[in-house]
Amino acid sequence: MKNLLKDLCSIKGISGKEESVCKFAAEKLSVFADVCITHDNSVIGVIEPEEGRKTDKHILFDAHIDQIGLIVTYVHKNGFIKFDTCGGLDPRILYGSTVIVHGEKDFNGVICSIPPHLMKSKDKSSLSIDDMFIDIGFCSESIGEKIKPGDRVSFNKGFYELLNGNIASPATDDRSGVYVLIKLAEKLEKLKREKLNIKFTFLLSSREEIGHLGAKTSAYKIMPDEAISVDVSFAKQPGVSNDKYGVLGKGPMIGIAPSLSTKITDSLKEIAQRENIPHQFEVMKGRSGTNADSISLIRSGIPCGLVSIPQRYMHTGIEIVNCNDLDNVTELLFSYAKQGGAK
Amino acid sequence: MIELDMNILKKLCLTGGISGDESEVREKIIEEISQYGTEYHIDAMGNLIVFKKGKNRPLTRLMIAAHMDEVGMIVTYITENGYLGFDTVGGIDNRILPGQSVLIGKNKIPGVIGLKPIHLTPKSEISSELDIESLFIDIGAKDKEDAQKHINVGDSVVFDSKFDDTNGRIVAKALDDRAGCFILLNMLKRELEYDTYFVFTVQEEIGLRGAGAASYTVDPQSAIVIESTTANEIPGIEKHNRICEIGKGPAVSFMDKVTLYDKNYYELAMSLAKENKINIQPKKGVTGGNDAGAINVSKGVTRTLAISVPCRYLHTSAGIINKNDLQDTLKLAILLSEKISSQEFC
């Protein structure tokens, strides 16, 4: 299983520049579904009932395909690059990081900062993106041709297989969701032959990290009867110890929130209990901060559920997820789909 | 141009060897020097002392030194939840630690140093100082017992970063001071004019602890330390605060925090570089310190000079040096060693 996840996490797709990873994911998904790529870089895959059969319901499964990163704003001739964030990033994760600048080709760089004793700001201990640059280590007259404002930058980190099936990598937010959806499509495609009357759409949505843009545009087009978003959510880790957070390896986190459909949530709970799928609950006081918030408001409203994969160190280059959790999320969604969605 | 085999530098940089745990680096160096037919021995501290005969006997007994150790971390305890508490070995700015990937112990168990998700972090915390006690290495262990199957307290931790030598520069960890070790290896590879001692020292980063012992054993009259030193050229930093710049040749020290360098040797370096059209720059700033501080005073007085490859982001997971600087440092080191060895010691 790890190979597909590894490939998905290794191919870069910072918000708005998801082309490469879209192409890869579309190819994988196309084995099981009819696939198209939208003009704004989302992948849509469809598994429909056989011709001549009526469709009772249309269920959408969504996971976002973009990842957080940086965006070039200015290129100094001497090879130092000014940047801003593309998605929410703590400056403390940036300083000293190795990165890849995706210019005309890929250039390795290091994020540097003016050292504290030379800082002009009052607070010497705090790090600010204003004091930081990406250094690619060489200067060239043609550097401005090779790297341009708007180019994206990603963390230069590998795919680490840690103990107990835990994976640390950039972009497990939310390529692990993309992975789940491809696996789900594989399982549902087999079911098609059992003549289900349900249409399934798999949306690998772009630009989530900058405001759920891809989910908004594509859900409008897809027009499902109900939808479930698959994203990552907070697992306990150093500094995050409250029992309200999830636990890595303890199964899907079923989202419960005023903004989510109670009917879908209850069905997910019921299935997890019935099928003995390890699971946990994530209760949110209003919106969920995921694509589900946006999909639920499309057209005249779409009932929406949320299933999250527990994750440590969200929005860093070393986001950890657990492989068993991915399998269990797939199982839960498969059972949900098989029974025809929310009951 | 002297042909430099970057694969050797790559091998040196990718090998882990924090202070006190330099054996793997030493093995890699021995692998290289055993091809050059030289004598060597390892002293009680772990310093690798190499003697190579030259065509002539020197008039001044010269030792050339570079340190094998790198900065890193050490596992200090394991939490009930299976996270590893750690401390830094050598001077590391704690602020570079979040988000790093590391390798732990002899079995190179991968781990990562995380940070709280930004979504859960109050603004005041983002702008406050990072305490190393709030940082942990995560190896994915279930709990303390599970972690203990793979990790012992005291295990060494090194950064896991890639080596890139394209575009005329090198981006890698541990260039301080594997770049120096690499220069020594390139000198050892050549036929020497004069008998010379080369020492690869231990424990430089925790207080220049190996070099003094090695120097006591070798008892040189003069020494050249080959180092990497701070290049500080980030936009906004004024020229006089840059210490040195990459691509402008080796930086020669006149003084740092631990050594007043031999004035005549400093001037000799400058004039030799000028005569031979080698780029050179003074290390502009009385900052840092290196093995010269220990060698200088180990047995009476040793006349000492330090020349350094300018390196950006020393003591992080990825420094940057310029390939031409490596060439120039090597050329200058060869010229200096021949000149010093040929002079009557005074």
Side-chain angles (χ1 to χ4, degrees):
Chain A
M1 89 175 262
K2 284 170 192 158
N3 284 344
L4 176 60
L5 183 62
K6 185 176 180 176
D7 288 340
L8 283 168
C9 290
S10 308
I11 303 170
K12 307 302 179 192
I14 314 296
S15 307
K17 288 249 174 136
E18 301 94 345
E19 291 85 350
S20 310
V21 69
C22 277
K23 192 166 162 249
F24 176 82
E27 208 179 290
K28 294 291 169 191
L29 190 59
S30 68
V31 179
F32 317 111
D34 299 321
V35 166
C36 71
I37 298 178
T38 68
H39 71 278
D40 59 348
N41 293 351
S42 292
V43 177
I44 299 174
V46 178
I47 298 178
E48 278 185 286
E50 277 167 20
E51 227 175 273
R53 292 191 67 85
K54 68 178 176 63
T55 301
D56 294 336
K57 203 179 208 180
H58 181 185
I59 303 177
L60 169 66
F61 294 102
D62 157 76
H64 71 87
I65 197 162
D66 62 320
Q67 72 193 90
I68 48 109
L70 307 172
I71 185 163
V72 173
T73 54
Y74 184 83
V75 183
H76 283 266
K77 269 206 208 79
N78 56 7
F80 286 90
I81 296 164
K82 203 74 206 139
F83 63 91
D84 211 329
T85 57
C86 202
L89 273 163
D90 186 331
R92 296 176 304 168
I93 208 76
L94 298 175
Y95 176 49
S97 286
T98 49
V99 294
I100 306 170
V101 181
H102 304 289
E104 185 188 76
K105 50 179 188 145
D106 287 352
F107 298 97
N108 290 331
V110 178
I111 300 183
C112 56
S113 173
I114 294 179
H117 65 282
L118 299 176
M119 273 179 182
K120 294 206 172 77
S121 62
K122 309 119 268 174
D123 189 359
K124 308 281 187 203
S125 62
S126 83
L127 283 164
S128 156
I129 285 174
D130 294 339
D131 291 321
M132 292 186 200
F133 292 86
I134 297 163
D135 181 5
I136 55 166
F138 64 96
C139 33
S140 145
E141 278 307 309
S142 58
I143 197 84
E145 303 287 311
K146 293 176 179 148
I147 298 171
K148 294 194 170 79
D151 285 346
R152 303 300 202 276
V153 180
S154 64
F155 288 111
N156 188 6
K157 281 274 164 254
F159 183 87
Y160 290 94
E161 294 181 25
L162 306 180
L163 303 179
N164 303 310
N166 293 315
I167 302 287
S169 168
T172 64
D173 175 6
D174 184 28
R175 299 291 154 66
S176 42
V178 170
Y179 169 88
V180 164
L181 259 52
I182 294 173
K183 286 290 172 189
L184 178 64
E186 181 178 1
K187 285 166 107 48
L188 288 173
E189 196 262 348
K190 285 182 192 138
L191 265 195
K192 188 170 75 170
R193 296 177 196 103
E194 290 175 18
K195 309 200 186 308
L196 269 177
N197 291 343
I198 304 161
K199 175 178 176 180
F200 299 109
T201 297
F202 306 88
L203 169 62
L204 312 180
S205 48
S206 62
R207 307 175 187 192
E208 189 270 349
E209 300 290 2
I210 48 169
H212 314 163
L213 303 184
K216 284 177 187 167
T217 56
S218 286
Y220 187 92
K221 185 162 125 185
I222 294 164
M223 237 190 338
D225 298 314
E226 60 180 67
I228 292 185
S229 280
V230 182
D231 207 332
V232 294
S233 192
F234 312 116
K236 284 185 183 176
Q237 57 158 92
V240 180
S241 55
N242 194 305
D243 282 340
K244 75 176 172 183
Y245 299 111
V247 177
L248 199 66
K250 292 275 164 78
M253 296 163 72
I254 298 172
I256 304 172
S259 59
L260 297 170
S261 154
T262 310
K263 199 175 159 196
I264 295 179
T265 305
D266 287 346
S267 288
L268 287 166
K269 276 193 219 171
E270 196 267 317
I271 291 164
Q273 273 153 16
R274 192 181 66 217
E275 305 287 329
N276 275 325
I277 300 168
H279 62 284
Q280 36 198 339
F281 301 113
E282 180 187 21
V283 183
M284 293 153 284
K285 65 177 183 177
R287 285 172 293 175
S288 67
T290 68
N291 274 342
D293 296 344
S294 297
I295 294 172
S296 55
L297 297 179
I298 293 301
R299 296 188 183 242
S300 46
I302 297 168
C304 218
L306 174 65
V307 176
S308 294
I309 300 159
Q311 189 196 50
R312 289 183 189 152
Y313 319 126
M314 195 184 290
H315 288 203
T316 69
I318 43 122
E319 300 169 333
I320 297 183
V321 293
N322 178 279
C323 289
N324 291 335
D325 286 337
L326 303 194
D327 289 342
N328 284 321
V329 174
T330 312
E331 274 312 307
L332 176 62
L333 296 178
F334 178 62
S335 297
Y336 178 88
K338 209 164 53 174
Q339 75 161 34
K343 286 268 159 49
Chain B
M1 281 281 281
I2 305 171
E3 191 68 39
L4 294 178
D5 182 355
M6 287 302 158
N7 287 322
I8 297 173
L9 181 60
K10 181 176 182 177
K11 192 163 77 173
L12 290 176
C13 287
L14 291 181
T15 302
I18 67 161
S19 310
D21 189 11
E22 300 90 349
S23 58
E24 281 185 43
V25 180
R26 192 171 54 229
E27 278 159 28
K28 295 277 164 26
I29 292 172
I30 290 171
E31 261 171 45
E32 285 305 313
I33 58 173
S34 50
Q35 301 167 34
Y36 312 149
T38 49
E39 300 167 27
Y40 67 85
H41 85 275
I42 300 164
D43 74 5
M45 288 198 75
N47 294 303
L48 174 64
I49 300 174
V50 187
F51 175 73
K52 184 163 178 175
K53 277 198 97 53
K55 290 182 217 156
N56 309 293
R57 306 292 81 76
L59 296 175
T60 293
R61 194 164 58 255
L62 176 68
M63 177 177 94
I64 304 176
H67 66 90
M68 294 186 285
D69 59 320
E70 68 185 289
V71 297
M73 291 137 280
I74 187 166
V75 177
T76 49
Y77 67 104
I78 303 175
T79 71
E80 290 304 322
N81 293 327
Y83 298 107
L84 315 183
F86 64 96
D87 215 332
T88 51
V89 175
I92 293 181
D93 180 349
N94 291 344
R95 301 177 309 161
I96 67 145
L97 294 172
Q100 295 291 351
S101 45
V102 297
L103 298 172
I104 307 143
K106 292 233 176 329
N107 295 326
K108 305 188 177 12
I109 305 292
V112 296
I113 303 172
L115 192 67
K116 201 196 275 191
I118 184 170
H119 323 63
L120 305 178
T121 311
K123 271 210 173 99
S124 59
E125 195 175 319
I126 290 176
S127 60
S128 67
E129 199 160 353
L130 257 178
D131 181 2
I132 192 153
E133 303 219 331
S134 70
L135 298 174
F136 295 89
I137 299 168
D138 190 336
I139 56 169
K142 288 193 187 109
D143 50 30
K144 188 173 188 171
E145 201 186 331
D146 187 27
Q148 281 169 334
K149 288 180 199 149
H150 305 273
I151 305 290
N152 294 310
V153 293
D155 278 356
S156 302
V157 182
V158 294
F159 294 116
D160 183 52
S161 52
K162 294 163 190 165
F163 181 94
D164 174 15
D165 65 345
T166 59
N167 294 306
R169 89 311 191 206
I170 294 147
V171 186
K173 78 160 176 75
L175 286 163
D176 173 12
D177 185 28
R178 306 291 155 71
C181 295
F182 180 61
I183 294 207
L184 263 59
L185 285 177
N186 276 285
M187 295 177 80
L188 269 162
K189 211 181 203 173
R190 300 161 58 85
E191 206 173 311
L192 298 180
E193 287 298 318
Y194 296 94
D195 301 350
T196 311
Y197 284 91
F198 295 85
V199 302
F200 298 87
T201 66
V202 295
Q203 301 184 27
E204 193 266 357
E205 300 291 1
I206 53 167
L208 326 177
R209 290 172 41 82
S215 185
Y216 188 88
T217 307
V218 172
D219 191 17
Q221 291 167 304
S222 298
I224 305 173
V225 172
I226 313 285
E227 257 288 6
S228 310
T229 200
T230 313
N232 208 359
E233 307 140 272
I234 300 168
I237 294 185
E238 291 184 73
K239 255 191 149 49
H240 62 263
N241 279 327
R242 290 181 187 174
I243 315 291
C244 65
E245 296 178 41
I246 70 167
K248 299 201 168 163
V252 188
S253 308
F254 46 81
M255 179 182 172
D256 58 33
K257 292 282 188 228
V258 289
T259 310
L260 267 165
Y261 291 89
D262 188 280
K263 192 169 183 304
N264 292 330
Y265 282 177
Y266 175 82
E267 274 158 17
L268 178 66
M270 289 295 176
S271 61
L272 276 176
K274 198 174 169 195
E275 278 164 37
N276 293 279
K277 300 195 166 51
I278 297 171
N279 287 322
I280 195 165
Q281 52 188 327
K283 178 177 171 179
K284 295 180 277 295
V286 183
T287 58
N290 59 50
D291 276 342
I295 293 168
N296 199 15
V297 294
S298 80
K299 201 170 188 180
V301 64
T302 307
R303 293 182 65 181
T304 308
L305 177 69
I307 60 174
S308 302
V309 179
C311 181
R312 293 179 186 162
Y313 325 122
L314 288 172
H315 294 199
T316 70
S317 67
I320 300 179
I321 62 171
N322 180 288
K323 278 188 188 171
N324 293 334
D325 290 338
L326 270 181
Q327 287 277 353
D328 286 335
T329 308
L330 175 59
K331 279 186 221 164
L332 183 64
I334 293 168
L335 288 167
L336 273 166
S337 63
E338 288 174 2
K339 192 77 183 174
I340 291 171
S341 302
S342 71
Q343 287 172 341
E344 195 78 54
F345 183 75
C346 54

